[in-house]
């Protein structure tokens, strides 16, 4: 195999709770992760000369050792002493630094693709163990689907599949530092926690309204005061008929769940009309077959 092309899916958090901070600086979380059909295209090509090359359609994206896809390739190349080089081409569609795990999903695709290309024989579990060295979301991005994530995000348990619905993704033109968000959270007392168990009950009952009603993200309490446009987008989605609207990850992206694609498109039109953001997409929940990474 000389080349492989993969789709690296974005994720949203249906629920995100932070339970505390570990001595090593990582945070204990309890989250429900869901993959959506918004993806980056990742092409991996085998080269006869050693080395790792990364190219993308975004000029500002790092192409060297600061790129997490590069780090994923280097991790496997070093461990398995792979003599051939690889060229990784990223066609980015997932908004960058948006709380959608675009970078982590790219890294997961590189681990998966190189494992297959070089016949390394690594199981999904083995790939996940290596992925967590790159980032807490990478193991999830390897398995995808509907998952309860605990620990620092690497302890994963499959949940019943999310019911089909339309998803509206809106990323406002602001930058959010995940580090700054968690530091701000550490400095305040968290009094209200998201109803993670309520979301799980909704998934078990396949009740989209119950899921939407229980959604919550503890990080909104610190990110929204920094960037009020997040609350404006949430309100616009709710006013337009979203069953629920919430910030994903540490932000700034907001997603809304809609019963129909037409209502999601109307909300998209309103958000653009209000000039809240240009980056607004209608997509849907992605149900993934276990052990299947290529769509």
């Amino acid at each position: 195999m000389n080349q492989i092309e993969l789709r690296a899916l974005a994720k949203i958090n249906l629920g995100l709770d932070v339970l505390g901070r570990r001595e090593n600086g990582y945070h204990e979380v309890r989250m429900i992760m869901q993959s959506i059909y918004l993806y980056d295209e990742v092409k991996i090509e085998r080269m006869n000369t050693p080395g790792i090359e990364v190219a993308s359609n975004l000029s500002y994206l790092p192409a060297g050792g600061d790129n997490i896809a590069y780090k994923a390739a280097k991790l496997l190349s070093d461990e398995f002493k792979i003599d051939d080089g690889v060229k990784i081409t990223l066609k980015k569609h997932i908004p960058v630094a948006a709380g959608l795990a675009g970078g982590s999903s790219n890294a997961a695709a590189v681990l998966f693709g190189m494992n297959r290309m070089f016949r390394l024989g690594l199981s999904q579990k083995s790939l996940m163990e290596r992925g967590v060295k790159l980032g807490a979301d990478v193991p999830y991005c390897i398995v995808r689907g509907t998952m309860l994530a605990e620990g620092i995000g690497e302890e994963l348990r499959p949940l019943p599949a999310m019911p089909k619905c339309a998803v509206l993704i809106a990323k406002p033109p602001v930058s959010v530092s995940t580090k700054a968000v968690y530091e701000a959270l550490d400095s305040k007392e968290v009094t209200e926690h998201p109803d993670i168990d309520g979301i799980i009950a909704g998934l078990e009952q396949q009740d989209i309204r119950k899921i939407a009603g229980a959604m919550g993200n503890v990080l909104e309490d610190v990110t929204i005061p920094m960037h009020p446009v997040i609350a404006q987008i949430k309100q616009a989605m709710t006013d337009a008929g979203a069953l629920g609207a919430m910030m994903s990850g540490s932000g700034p992206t907001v997603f809304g769940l809609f019963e129909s694609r037409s209502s999601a498109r109307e909300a998209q039109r309103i958000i653009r009309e209000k000039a809240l953001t240009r980056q607004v997409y209608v997509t849907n929940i992605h149900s993934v077959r276990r052990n299947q990474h290529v769509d």
Side-chain angles (χ1 to χ4, degrees):
M1 182 183 291
N2 291 319
Q3 95 172 35
I4 185 170
E5 296 183 20
L6 301 163
R7 292 174 176 174
L9 300 183
K11 65 83 187 165
I12 54 175
N13 299 95
L14 299 174
L16 194 164
D17 197 6
V18 179
L19 307 179
R21 181 174 177 170
R22 295 181 177 181
E23 290 182 6
N24 61 6
Y26 284 99
H27 288 81
E28 286 279 342
V29 296
R30 193 163 187 248
M31 308 183 291
I32 296 178
M33 317 266 272
Q34 175 62 53
S35 46
I36 58 174
Y37 209 70
L38 174 64
Y39 58 85
D40 292 339
E41 298 169 62
V42 180
K43 181 165 74 171
I44 307 168
E45 299 172 89
R46 191 171 187 156
M47 300 191 301
N48 293 328
T49 54
I52 300 165
E53 294 180 18
V54 177
S56 83
N57 59 324
L58 301 180
S59 59
Y60 55 84
L61 202 71
D66 290 336
N67 187 295
I68 192 171
Y70 181 103
K71 292 176 182 177
K74 190 173 190 316
L75 186 151
L76 292 182
S77 293
D78 289 350
E79 179 181 352
F80 292 93
K81 297 179 172 54
I82 297 171
D83 293 328
D84 289 355
V86 293
K87 180 178 180 181
I88 301 162
T89 304
L90 306 174
K91 191 171 182 182
K92 299 287 291 181
H93 304 290
I94 303 170
V96 175
L100 298 172
S104 295
S105 195
N106 294 167
V110 170
L111 293 176
F112 180 93
M114 286 186 63
N115 181 47
R116 178 176 287 185
M117 178 176 284
F118 293 102
R119 298 181 181 178
L120 304 181
L122 295 172
S123 66
Q124 186 179 78
K125 182 181 178 183
S126 296
L127 289 174
M128 291 166 67
E129 288 168 351
R130 286 157 177 82
V132 76
K133 298 175 184 177
L134 301 167
D137 284 343
V138 178
Y140 167 76
C141 291
I142 290 170
V143 294
R144 311 193 302 191
T146 312
M147 289 273 176
L148 175 67
E150 296 178 293
I152 64 168
E154 88 289 11
E155 297 173 16
L156 300 170
R157 176 165 69 85
L159 295 172
M162 175 77 172
K164 295 290 186 185
C165 64
V167 183
L168 185 62
I169 299 291
K171 194 264 181 183
V174 297
S175 297
V176 171
S177 163
T178 300
K179 183 173 181 286
V181 167
Y182 275 95
E183 285 175 352
L185 187 75
D186 290 338
S187 67
K188 72 190 292 286
E189 183 181 357
V190 178
T191 55
E192 291 188 25
H193 291 271
D195 186 7
I196 302 296
D197 290 332
I199 300 171
I200 294 173
L203 289 166
E204 290 171 344
Q205 295 164 24
Q206 291 292 283
D207 186 336
I208 188 65
R209 290 183 174 273
K210 185 167 186 175
I211 294 165
M215 291 192 318
N217 181 345
V218 73
L219 298 180
E220 286 188 342
D221 291 344
V222 292
T223 307
I224 288 178
M226 297 177 187
H227 304 287
V229 67
I230 295 170
Q232 294 171 358
I233 293 172
K234 284 183 62 178
Q235 190 63 53
M237 288 189 185
T238 302
D239 290 347
L243 300 175
M246 193 177 81
M247 184 180 81
S248 186
S250 56
T253 299
V254 177
F255 71 90
L257 304 182
F258 292 81
E259 286 186 301
S260 71
R261 200 169 181 89
S262 60
S263 58
R265 290 225 176 269
E266 175 61 13
Q268 179 188 41
R269 184 191 65 77
I270 291 168
I271 288 168
R272 283 181 175 157
E273 194 174 77
K274 290 177 178 287
L276 296 173
T277 179
R278 289 183 180 179
Q279 285 188 287
V280 54
Y281 314 99
V282 177
T283 182
N284 52 276
I285 295 297
H286 186 273
S287 298
V288 66
R289 290 170 285 168
R290 293 288 158 229
N291 301 316
Q292 180 76 16
H293 201 100
V294 186
D295 301 305

